[in-house]
Amino acid sequence: MSKKIIAGNWKQNGNIKSSIKLAQDIILGIKKNNIKHEVIIFPPSIYLLSIKNINKKEIINIGSQNVSAYNDGALTGEISATMLKDSKIQYCLVGHSERRHILDENNLSLCEKVSRLRENNIKVIYCIGETLKEYKTKRTKYILNKQLQSLFKSLNNSKRSNKAIIAYEPVWAIGTGLIPSAKELSNTFGYIHNTVKRYNESNESIKLLYGGSVSPENAQSLMKTQYVSGLLIGGASLIAKKFIDICSTI
Ligand code: PGA
């Protein structure tokens, strides 16, 4: 059976001291609790290399929260996929709702990001999800279809197949304590599964994660949803005990 994936997105939080301590505590917790899942953390990029340094035995995987849509060159403030590769960063998030909705990223630039990452053999966790308004007006499937269509434009064009991961995160569930009902999740993941099958021309193996207000209390039941292979965790990944508790319960 393939490993479950537990990903922790730290967002724009912490400082050098607290980030190293958090990573150390997570590594320790994984060893102590004999956790066999694939654990990936996404610290702020300025701390990536310091954390890589304390993870020499590669107990965890380390990912970047963002990447430039462009190749190296005159682009002030950006970090390219080749720089991530050079620093041996294995994963990158693309399309997180905060980047789509607060930082105005669109499907076109996200497509470019996916392409740059694939060219550099960095695994993509691509986030999709509907806003509260879209959810209330029953446009979830329409929105997910559009987001997936755009993702597969890049995936089907890239020659490299490196096992993309899709994280379904309803925007209204992120940081709110709200989660979809079991029935809604089963319906939506069924839809995502079928849509991926339809667009996935190269038959690349694609895993699906759930994200949005995951906690030690709800992790187990969320993982029971058909087609869910793991969780993307925000707030609860900033507290080592909660994060390890989630890893232990599933
Ligand atoms: P949350 O965030 O777990 O704090 O809801 C999830 C995410 O943004 O990935």
Side-chain angles (χ1 to χ4, degrees):
M1 218 174 80
S2 66
K3 284 186 176 187
K4 291 171 184 157
I5 297 170
I6 303 294
N9 174 13
W10 294 4
K11 309 190 181 182
Q12 190 184 289
N13 289 296
N15 54 44
I16 183 73
K17 205 171 154 202
S18 69
S19 298
I20 288 185
K21 171 94 172 69
L22 180 53
Q24 278 169 333
D25 288 348
I26 289 172
I27 291 171
L28 219 70
I30 289 174
K31 288 189 195 159
K32 220 169 112 188
N33 295 278
N34 199 20
I35 285 160
K36 300 287 182 214
H37 313 312
E38 177 167 6
V39 177
I40 314 161
I41 57 165
F42 294 86
S45 44
I46 196 164
Y47 306 136
L48 284 171
L49 290 182
S50 313
I51 292 176
K52 249 200 114 53
N53 250 332
I54 60 151
N55 182 43
K56 293 230 164 75
K57 291 193 178 144
E58 301 195 350
I59 305 293
I60 50 179
N61 287 304
I62 297 170
S64 171
Q65 296 174 19
N66 190 27
V67 69
S68 171
Y70 301 91
N71 288 321
D72 285 351
L75 288 145
T76 304
E78 291 291 272
I79 295 175
S80 69
T82 47
M83 292 170 186
L84 293 180
K85 184 185 179 186
D86 186 38
S87 305
K88 304 203 165 38
I89 300 300
Q90 301 110 320
Y91 281 90
C92 188
L93 291 177
V94 180
H96 189 279
S97 85
E98 285 142 22
R99 299 211 59 91
R100 285 180 193 266
H101 300 293
I102 304 174
L103 298 159
D104 278 340
E105 288 195 359
N106 56 42
N107 282 334
L108 211 69
S109 68
L110 298 177
C111 247
E112 290 299 318
K113 291 185 178 203
V114 170
S115 300
R116 297 298 83 73
L117 290 165
R118 304 271 286 193
E119 287 157 12
N120 287 282
N121 223 5
I122 295 169
K123 291 197 177 102
V124 174
I125 299 190
Y126 192 83
C127 306
I128 58 172
E130 80 285 4
T131 63
L132 183 62
K133 191 171 168 207
E134 289 155 355
Y135 168 72
K136 282 191 169 159
T137 51
K138 301 201 183 321
R139 293 173 73 226
T140 298
K141 288 182 180 168
Y142 171 79
I143 295 296
L144 297 182
N145 179 51
K146 273 183 77 160
Q147 293 172 337
L148 288 170
Q149 213 168 20
S150 142
L151 166 66
F152 277 93
K153 248 188 229 155
S154 302
L155 294 192
N156 291 335
N157 277 335
S158 82
K159 287 173 197 75
R160 300 228 178 129
S161 152
N162 60 3
K163 297 184 180 162
I165 296 169
I166 295 169
Y168 169 58
E169 300 199 297
V171 181
W172 52 271
I174 296 179
T176 58
L178 303 170
I179 53 168
S181 68
K183 197 172 157 203
E184 284 172 320
L185 281 175
S186 132
N187 193 331
T188 309
F189 273 96
Y191 177 76
I192 296 171
H193 173 81
N194 290 334
T195 310
V196 165
K197 232 166 123 181
R198 203 165 75 232
Y199 292 142
N200 187 3
E201 286 171 7
S202 62
N203 251 339
E204 170 169 352
S205 126
I206 296 197
K207 287 193 175 172
L208 306 182
L209 312 184
Y210 169 80
S213 293
V214 176
S215 69
E217 291 72 35
N218 61 27
Q220 203 178 20
S221 67
L222 289 168
M223 283 300 294
K224 286 197 180 125
T225 314
Q226 194 181 9
Y227 306 122
V228 171
S229 301
L231 302 166
L232 177 55
I233 303 155
S237 73
L238 292 170
I239 300 161
K241 187 183 173 330
K242 280 196 185 178
F243 190 63
I244 294 297
D245 280 352
I246 293 172
C247 295
S248 309
T249 57
I250 65 159

